[in-house]
């Protein structure tokens, strides 16, 4: 068994391009997440909800993190950057922003992905380091380089990352009447606070709702078993991309959707990308032939770099010693001049020389066309011509070009990067075994065991859940292993009303950028902060003390961000409630619009008193004696109703 796993995962080689897709996709999504965290840092990281700013060192940490992510994105100093990214992720995502009641699910993928990035050869192509390697190879006259290959083991880790995510989620869904009735996507989309806008046009068709709901169950259950077959991997990945693209445009969790899409793109075999490239991107004919001196190290290195940047392969690079005699436009040019300058022939009719050759090269690349145009215009052309002339004159004066006379001066990376997963199989095999055991232990925390095996109220079920909880507390900060009960009944069972904050000053009112008049997510309430507001602040079963402290934090942050002085006595923040109906087993057309149309009503306010912001619910409902936010709000509603009678 172990031998077969070794042959399938370790000995097998694939092209490195998909790993570059993962590196780039992960970096871009993490940068977007970091930008939100930086923008809302006083709200996310400040434990004292009314303090003005977070510690200064956190801002410095953000800057360091952004630098590391940018280096990962471009593939330069990749291993050190990956280590820095992982260390900061563990500190901030693994320890600082953890909420025991409800963790932001995408952090699990960020932590595991950051760990894997340290050991994967993700800079083997489409990176600054790969350009350096091409230059190093060109120095020893190697012109045509094979596309870099990596062990399939690394793709296997990505498959396990997303496959176990789905499988753990399935353990929740198989215990959910909402999903088993086919309404797993419809039910949350019928609640305004879980969406961006009115999606009635999509969810009002029962047949479509059921197809989507059951397809989700089938897909998540079968993914990890079918994706290993190369013929099916493309289709499984495309299905996942379509699924999460839909989630991206409907639900306010963009980071999770984008990161999962990036992982699916990295699982697709390189051969598929090659076919798409040949059909849609690669130039149908070479529009430019460039003649270079193959005995010149600088020329070879320049060609190595520029040919890598010519993504469309619209340029043909020819050694003038071998091919110049075949080109009519070069026939009357003395060999000494050919060696002195670099020449190019465009579309077989137009001759370029020196700097004009480089301008034509940039234009022919397509993506660099604007740079090629600028290089042909003053003053850029004159500046480049003087630099080129000095290099060419030095070549002629010293009898040719060597690394010492006209080298580029870029330090190449080591010839072969060694990773913990290269060499012997046992480190990777040990990690795979640990991953499998960890998944099994963590799965004990899902409701599937209690419902189908051990009994929902048995002592064994409780023991298994406690074991999973302890294991998660130990491993989550460093590896991101956790349960993934995303969009299940527990998120909505208690939700019979929504809460929002509105600034009121006289006759004017301005909703805080949390929810609009119809109850849709806005501004702060997207991604991490949507999760925090919906499930750790105003969810009806949240402790009243936690809800009030968090809302005070939102109020203080908004006041500072908008320049509103809540201590002036001119205005206050009103707490409003809107009733909604949740249906998790019975399809009801128009339920979303019914929930959108429900009116908001005042239940309390946040105002300054004694130099502090204080939250008070109407009537006698504002004390800390109430166990949950829902109970406190119900008391406020009943008190207000009684006062009006």
């Amino acid at each position: 068994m172990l031998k077969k796993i070794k042959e399938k995962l370790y000995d097998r080689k694939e092209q490195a391009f998909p790993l570059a897709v993962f590196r780039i996709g992960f970096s871009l999504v993490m940068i977007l997440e970091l930008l939100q965290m930086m923008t809302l840092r006083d709200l996310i990281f400040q434990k004292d909800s009314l303090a003005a700013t977070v510690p200064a060192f956190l801002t410095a940490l953000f800057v360091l993190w952004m630098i590391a992510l940018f280096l990962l994105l471009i593939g330069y100093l990749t291993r050190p950057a990956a280590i820095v990214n992982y260390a900061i992720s563990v500190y901030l995502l693994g320890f600082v922003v953890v909420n025991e009641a409800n963790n932001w699910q995408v952090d699990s993928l960020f932590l595991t992905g950051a760990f894997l990035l340290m050991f994967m050869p993700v800079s083997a192509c489409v990176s600054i380091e790969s350009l350096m390697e091409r230059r190093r190879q060109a120095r020893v006259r190697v012109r045509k380089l094979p596309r870099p290959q990596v062990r399939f083991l690394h793709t296997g880790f990505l498959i396990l990352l997303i496959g176990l995510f789905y499988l753990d989620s399935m353990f929740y869904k198989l215990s959910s009447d909402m999903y088993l009735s086919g309404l797993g996507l419809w039910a949350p989309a019928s609640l305004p606070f879980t969406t961006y806008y009115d999606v009635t046009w999509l969810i009002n068709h029962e047949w479509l709702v059921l197809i989507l709901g059951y397809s989700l169950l089938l897909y998540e259950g079968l993914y990890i078993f079918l994706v290993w077959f190369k013929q099916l991997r493309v289709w499984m990945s495309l299905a996942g991309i379509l699924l999460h693209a839909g989630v991206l445009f409907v639900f306010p969790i963009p980071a999770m959707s984008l990161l999962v899409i990036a992982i699916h793109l990295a699982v697709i075999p390189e051969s598929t990308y090659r076919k798409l490239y040949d059909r849609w991107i690669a130039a149908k004919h070479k529009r430019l032939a460039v003649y270079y001196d193959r005995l010149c190290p600088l020329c070879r290195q320049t060609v190595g770099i520029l040919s890598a940047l010519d993504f469309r392969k619209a340029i043909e690079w020819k050694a003038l010693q071998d091919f110049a005699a075949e080109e009519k436009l070069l026939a009357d040019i003395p060999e000494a001049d050919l060696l002195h300058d670099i020449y190019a022939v465009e579309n077989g009719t137009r001759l370029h020389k020196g700097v004009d050759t480089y301008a034509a090269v940039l234009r022919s690349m397509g993506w660099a066309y604007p740079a090629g145009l600028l290089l042909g215009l003053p003053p850029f052309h004159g500046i480049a011509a003087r630099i080129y002339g000095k290099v060419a004159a030095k070549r002629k004066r010293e009898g040719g070009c060597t690394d010492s006379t006209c080298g580029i001066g870029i330090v190449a990376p080591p010839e072969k990067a060694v990773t913990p997963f290269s060499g012997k199989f046992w480190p990777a095999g040990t990690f795979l075994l640990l991953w499998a055991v960890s998944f099994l232990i963590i799965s004990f925390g899902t409701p599937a065991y209690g419902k189908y095996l051990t009994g929902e109220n048995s002592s064994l079920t409780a023991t298994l859940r406690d074991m999973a909880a302890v294991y998660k507390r130990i491993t989550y900060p460093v590896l991101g292993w956790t349960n993934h009960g995303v969009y299940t009944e527990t998120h909505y069972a208690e939700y019979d009303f929504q809460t929002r904050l509105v600034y009121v000053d006289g006759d004017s009112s301005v909703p805080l950028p949390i929810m609009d008049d119809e109850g849709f997510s806005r501004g702060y309430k997207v991604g991490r902060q949507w999760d925090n507001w919906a499930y750790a602040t105003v969810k009806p079963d949240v402790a009243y003390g936690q809800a009030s402290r968090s809302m005070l934090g939102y109020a203080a942050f908004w006041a500072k961000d908008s320049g509103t002085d809540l201590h002036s006595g001119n205005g206050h923040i009103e707490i409003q409630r809107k009733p909604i109906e949740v249906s998790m087993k019975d399809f009801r057309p128009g339920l979303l619009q019914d929930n959108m149309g429900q009116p908001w009503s005042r239940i309390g306010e946040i105002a300054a008193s004694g130099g502090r912001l204080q939250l008070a619910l109407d009537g006698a409902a504002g004390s800390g004696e109430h166990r949950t936010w829902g109970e406190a709000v119900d008391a406020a509603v009943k008190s207000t109703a009684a006062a009006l009678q």
Side-chain angles (χ1 to χ4, degrees):
M1 180 68 176
L2 184 60
K3 183 178 180 181
K4 288 185 177 180
I5 294 176
K6 181 177 181 296
E7 291 175 352
K8 293 289 186 181
L9 289 178
Y10 193 72
D11 297 334
R12 176 178 163 190
K13 296 288 188 70
E14 287 198 348
Q15 304 298 331
F17 178 74
L19 292 187
V21 172
F22 174 63
R23 186 196 81 238
I24 294 170
F26 181 95
S27 302
L28 287 173
V29 177
M30 190 73 252
I31 287 173
L32 291 175
E33 184 74 5
L34 180 55
L35 288 174
Q36 187 197 37
M37 293 166 70
M38 292 173 68
T39 303
L40 304 178
R41 60 187 179 276
D42 293 339
L43 179 60
I44 297 172
F45 294 97
Q46 185 50 260
K47 297 302 182 183
D48 178 1
S49 62
L50 302 184
T53 58
V54 299
F57 87 92
L58 193 59
T59 301
L61 204 60
F62 283 147
V63 173
L64 178 61
W65 200 0
M66 185 64 75
I67 292 172
L69 288 170
F70 177 74
L71 291 175
L72 270 176
L73 178 64
I74 65 175
Y76 182 64
L77 298 175
T78 310
R79 190 61 48 74
I83 293 172
V84 171
N85 171 60
Y86 175 70
I88 298 177
S89 296
V90 168
Y91 172 65
L92 290 180
L93 305 182
F95 290 102
V96 176
V97 301
V98 171
N99 183 327
E100 284 292 332
N102 188 74
N103 292 338
W104 178 217
Q105 290 285 337
V106 76
D107 285 347
S108 168
L109 297 177
F110 279 138
L111 285 167
T112 311
F115 177 83
L116 293 176
L117 277 170
M118 294 191 294
F119 305 121
M120 287 181 166
V122 291
S123 61
C125 65
V126 196
S127 65
I128 300 297
E129 288 179 5
S130 66
L131 288 179
M132 292 178 176
E133 176 62 15
R134 290 182 69 92
R135 176 182 177 265
R136 189 188 69 80
Q137 294 284 356
R139 184 184 301 162
V140 292
R141 303 189 186 185
V142 176
R143 267 294 294 121
K144 290 206 174 193
L145 299 176
R147 296 199 300 273
Q149 290 188 323
V150 296
R151 299 186 188 279
F152 179 69
L153 171 72
H154 302 290
T155 302
F157 280 129
L158 295 180
I159 290 175
L160 287 174
L161 174 59
I162 193 64
L164 295 180
F165 176 89
Y166 284 150
L167 194 58
D168 185 81
S169 179
M170 269 297 296
F171 287 158
Y172 282 88
K173 291 178 172 63
L174 290 176
S175 307
S176 164
D177 291 335
M178 180 176 74
Y179 282 95
L180 293 177
S181 62
L183 302 181
L185 294 175
W186 173 83
S190 297
L191 306 174
F193 75 90
T194 66
T195 60
Y196 289 118
Y197 53 89
D198 184 0
V199 291
T200 299
W201 57 272
L202 176 66
I203 65 172
N204 249 23
H205 310 285
E206 185 173 8
W207 61 271
L208 180 58
V209 164
L210 294 177
I211 289 175
L212 293 175
Y214 286 124
S215 296
L216 174 64
L217 280 177
L218 191 65
Y219 176 78
E220 289 196 344
L222 294 178
Y223 177 87
I224 198 169
F225 303 105
L226 299 181
V227 71
W228 302 102
F229 299 96
K230 192 172 183 179
Q231 299 86 343
L232 296 177
R233 203 185 316 159
V234 174
W235 298 108
M236 297 298 290
S237 298
L238 288 177
I241 291 169
L242 289 175
L243 165 64
H244 290 280
V247 171
L248 175 66
F249 288 107
V250 175
F251 299 115
I253 50 174
M256 176 177 287
S257 302
L258 290 171
L259 184 56
V260 175
I261 288 173
I263 297 172
H264 278 303
L265 288 172
V267 168
I268 295 175
E270 193 266 354
S271 58
T272 301
Y273 287 109
R274 177 60 52 181
K275 291 176 183 177
L276 294 174
Y277 169 83
D278 290 340
R279 181 168 184 177
W280 300 105
I281 299 177
K284 303 307 177 185
H285 67 278
K286 306 288 187 182
R287 62 172 294 176
L288 189 71
V290 179
Y291 295 86
Y292 68 97
D293 180 2
R294 62 174 166 79
L295 300 179
C296 164
L298 174 61
C299 301
R300 292 197 307 269
Q301 293 166 38
T302 303
V303 168
I305 293 175
L306 291 177
S307 63
L309 296 176
D310 178 21
F311 303 134
R312 298 179 60 247
K313 303 304 175 190
I315 303 170
E316 188 172 10
W317 305 90
K318 295 183 176 183
L320 65 88
Q321 289 90 343
D322 302 322
F323 297 99
E326 300 175 1
E327 176 54 58
K328 295 179 181 179
L329 295 181
L330 300 179
D332 297 330
I333 301 176
E335 183 178 354
D337 291 343
L338 290 175
L339 292 172
H340 182 261
D341 288 298
I342 187 169
Y343 287 82
V345 176
E346 187 171 3
N347 293 325
T349 59
R350 187 178 178 187
L351 183 65
H352 300 285
K353 171 185 175 183
V355 171
D356 293 330
T357 292
Y358 287 105
V361 165
L362 293 175
R363 291 196 303 270
S364 298
M365 287 181 180
W367 66 273
Y369 191 89
L373 287 180
L374 287 176
L375 190 58
L377 298 174
F380 305 104
H381 185 276
I383 295 172
R386 282 195 293 273
I387 296 173
Y388 178 85
K390 288 182 179 180
V391 174
K394 190 173 184 180
R395 285 185 62 203
K396 188 173 183 179
R397 182 172 63 251
E398 304 202 14
C401 184
T402 65
D403 285 331
S404 61
T405 59
C406 54
I408 299 177
I410 300 176
V411 179
E415 185 167 349
K416 183 178 180 181
V418 179
T419 74
F421 292 152
S422 62
K424 295 184 178 180
F425 175 66
W426 70 264
T430 302
F431 187 73
L432 283 172
L433 180 61
L434 174 62
W435 204 329
V437 172
S438 298
F439 172 76
L440 178 62
I441 295 174
I442 289 175
S443 72
F444 293 157
T446 65
Y449 284 88
K451 183 167 184 176
Y452 294 107
L453 296 175
T454 57
E456 294 182 355
N457 299 315
S458 71
S459 59
L460 178 57
T461 300
T463 301
L464 291 176
R465 287 176 180 170
D466 291 343
M467 183 189 304
V470 171
Y471 191 82
K472 281 191 295 184
R473 279 196 291 271
I474 296 172
T475 60
Y476 177 80
V478 293
L479 293 174
W481 287 330
T482 188
N483 291 119
H484 302 94
V486 183
Y487 283 117
T488 60
E489 277 101 333
T490 57
H491 290 88
Y492 316 114
E494 303 294 330
Y495 250 114
D496 55 1
F497 67 90
Q498 294 181 222
T499 308
R500 73 168 181 171
L501 304 178
V502 177
Y503 177 68
V504 178
D505 185 0
D507 294 331
S508 65
S509 62
V510 178
L512 271 64
I514 297 172
M515 285 183 190
D516 63 13
D517 290 337
E518 294 177 317
F520 293 121
S521 301
R522 292 291 180 266
Y524 304 159
K525 197 168 166 287
V526 173
R528 184 180 302 278
Q529 289 313 110
W530 167 79
D531 186 77
N532 178 269
W533 177 266
Y535 302 121
T537 301
V538 297
K539 188 181 178 186
D541 61 357
V542 168
Y544 176 80
Q546 177 181 331
S548 60
R549 285 192 300 272
S550 186
M551 274 187 275
L552 288 172
Y554 277 92
F557 177 81
W558 173 82
K560 178 189 173 187
D561 189 52
S562 64
T564 303
D565 185 5
L566 295 176
H567 298 274
S568 66
N570 295 327
H572 64 276
I573 292 178
E574 192 170 280
I575 307 170
Q576 295 184 351
R577 168 191 180 275
K578 167 180 174 172
I580 58 174
E581 184 176 344
V582 179
S583 177
M584 292 183 286
K585 290 188 288 185
D586 299 313
F587 177 80
R588 268 187 50 189
L591 179 58
L592 175 59
Q593 289 190 319
D594 290 344
N595 285 329
M596 290 164 50
Q598 295 295 325
W600 294 97
S601 60
R602 173 193 161 103
I603 56 171
E605 68 176 33
I606 295 173
S609 177
R612 293 173 55 88
L613 291 181
Q614 295 185 356
L615 183 150
L617 295 183
D618 293 340
S623 68
E625 62 184 355
H626 301 286
R627 187 175 64 85
T628 67
W629 173 244
E631 291 171 345
V633 170
D634 288 343
V637 172
K638 291 177 182 177
S639 177
T640 302
L644 294 175
Q645 289 179 352

